[in-house]
Amino acid sequence: MIEPNAEDGGGRYRSFAAFYPFYLTEHRNRASRRLHVVGTCLVIVALVAGVLVDGRFFIAAPLVGYGFAWVGHFVFEKNRPATFRYPLYSLAGDFRLWFEVVTGRRPF
């Protein structure tokens, strides 16, 4: 496991840049990464639909995003999602992973 860049000795990351390598170690399984990317795509679709179609789609956004991601963690990675300890960094990691995949910088 990568040692966290602790701010207070409690194992908290000081920055997203320090967190992201840890995030990637928690997403080694290809099926899990794919589920994360699909879930993030559906989140984007739900957000756009929330703006253009009906605000109720905003409710669906976190449900589909976390639903797909957590299946990846619990079924394929066999680990606990970082969302529980690092919710904002984890969300940022999901979008960065998605961006890296759709731009071809990381394999799908």
Side-chain angles (χ1 to χ4, degrees):
M1 181 165 137
I2 296 174
E3 286 296 316
N5 185 3
E7 179 176 286
D8 59 5
R12 301 293 299 176
Y13 290 96
R14 292 183 189 200
S15 67
F16 178 71
F19 171 80
Y20 194 61
F22 165 73
Y23 175 92
L24 292 175
T25 67
E26 297 291 298
H27 299 85
R28 291 180 184 166
N29 183 284
R30 188 173 187 181
S32 176
R33 284 193 313 274
R34 286 179 173 180
L35 285 168
H36 277 69
V37 170
V38 169
T40 302
C41 286
L42 292 174
V43 165
I44 294 167
V45 168
L47 294 175
V48 170
V51 171
L52 299 177
V53 179
D54 187 330
R56 290 179 286 188
F57 280 100
F58 291 123
I59 296 167
L63 299 176
V64 295
Y66 286 124
F68 276 81
W70 290 357
V71 167
H73 283 286
F74 295 127
V75 174
F76 297 100
E77 296 285 356
K78 310 279 193 238
N79 63 17
R80 185 171 181 249
T83 301
F84 298 131
R85 184 148 187 218
Y86 303 100
L88 296 178
Y89 284 165
S90 182
L91 180 62
D94 291 341
F95 280 97
R96 180 168 172 184
L97 176 67
W98 174 84
F99 181 78
E100 289 175 353
V101 168
V102 299
T103 59
R105 293 180 55 209
R106 191 167 300 279
F108 182 64

